[in-house]
Structures are given as structure tokens and as C-alpha cells.
Amino acid sequence: MKQVTKKLQRSVAEAIEQFSMIENGDKIMVCLSGGKDSYTLLNMMLHFKKVAPISFDIIAVNLDQKQPGFPEEILPKYLSDLNVAYKIIEKNTYKVVMEKTPEGKTTCSLCSRLRRGTLYEAARDLGCNKLALGHHRNDIIETFLLNFFFAGKLETMPPKFVNDTGDLIILRPLSLCKESDIETYANLLNFPIIPCNLCGSQENLQRKKIKEMIADWEQDFPDRSSVMMNALQNVYPSHLLDKTLYDFEHLKSNILENSH
């Protein structure tokens, strides 16, 4: 238990430092879905609130999307027992997603868009300047490969970014944490996990295929995920093909320069 806790704390500390995530006086909204990642995120944020040399506030927020059978009592009890400031937002996004998504299509993108908008609104209402999400290292690598193979772009989930309106900074403090460590930690602490019934039945998602592909690679070449994560932090625009990032047009050799 101690080993995996220390491992996660080290990875979160590294992400916070590397990407300058937290400053004195911040009020951070920690988004809690009821999954293993968000429970781990909250625990990590509470730990650093306690030990950090700076002062910042945390409020845990859950969006009750009115999914059928959602156990409404679990999170309020858990958060009250933890003695954490929290807010439960009730919004029937489930109904909207079910109405708008054609049969057989995945609900994930619409669901996350609606959820994101509601959470940003809540952060403003609560006077938060930052918002923390529970995405981890595997999510970042999978998103990069999804975009690479299916969307035709080199893009992933950044550890820190500003929302479109420019009034909120979004953080991913678990960016450098392995999903397997989070799983171990969640099992040891026996978090009261709430499954997501909205997307749980969609077995053929592209993300699932990518996850399986990475797992296969890891079998043949252990630690591939670490190498991919390093690659995302080690970018050479001059050795890619995006002319908006690198000025290929005005590139000249020394020979040409010296001949004039």
C-alpha cells in the first residue's frame, strides 16, 4: 500500500512541478465522477493541500447526470466522511445524450461535451480559477494514438490548458501516473466505485481497440508506454511536416548564403 501511494504521489508531484499547476491562493474544483481515477485524484490533491508549502483550496464536485440507477447517496456520504467541501450538481444530460445519439453510435463525445460545459459553469459559480480532471498517462497516450490513427492529427490531452473563454485553467495532475498503479491503489483503498452506464455497453469503441493494441505492444516490448510518454515531451517541429510550426519556406543552406 505504502509503495503504490508513494509512487503516485511522486508522479503527481512531478506533474505539478513540471507544468506549474498550482499557485498560492488557487481555488481548485476537483471533478469527481465516482470512478477509480477521480477518487485517486481527490486523495492526491488532499495530500498536496496538506504538505505543500503554499496555500490553496479544494472543492469536490460531482455531476449527477440522472443516469437510471445512479446511486445518489454514495458520493455525499463518502465526501462528508472525508470532511471535504463538495457540491453535487444535478443535470439530466443522460436524457439529452440518449435523444441526440443515433442508435448504434457512441455517446461518449456528446456526453463529455455536455459534461464539460456544465462543469466549467459550476467552477465559475463556485469562484474557482482552476479545475482538476482525473485523466492519467494511459488516457494521454491512447488519445494521441486515436488522433493519429483516426483523426489525422498529432494531438493529445495536455497536462494543463486554458479553456476557450480564457477564464479557467484545466489541470490533469495524474498525467504522469500509470493506470495500473491507480487500479492497485483504488483496490487497496476499496473506493465505492460508481460504474458509468452510459458508455459501459459500447464495447467496440475505437479507444478500446487502441487500449488492446498498447497492451499487446507492452507484452512484446515492455515499457513501451514510458517511451511513448517521453516522445510526447520530446518534439522536433523541424522533423515533422507542419509548415505552421516550422518555416520550411525560408529555409536556406549555408552554401547558398555564402555564395551571394
Side-chain angles (χ1 to χ4, degrees), residues 93-146:
T93 56
Y94 178 84
K95 185 170 178 278
V96 179
V97 170
M98 289 297 114
E99 283 172 357
K100 302 271 185 200
T101 308
E103 199 173 338
K105 295 289 180 186
T106 64
T107 58
C108 296
S109 60
L110 176 59
C111 176
S112 64
R113 259 201 322 276
L114 290 170
R115 198 168 61 236
R116 192 162 52 237
T118 307
L119 291 170
Y120 287 0
E121 206 178 298
R124 291 182 196 106
D125 291 345
L126 292 164
C128 298
N129 63 321
K130 290 179 180 171
L131 185 146
L133 301 171
H135 299 117
H136 46 66
R137 188 178 89 164
N138 298 62
D139 290 324
I140 288 171
I141 293 167
E142 286 160 22
T143 301
F144 175 77
L145 292 175
L146 275 167

Side-chain angles (χ1 to χ4, degrees), residues 68-83:
F70 183 80
E72 292 175 17
E73 70 290 342
I74 287 181
L75 286 171
K77 184 185 183 312
Y78 177 80
L79 294 165
S80 298
D81 291 348
L82 257 190
N83 202 20

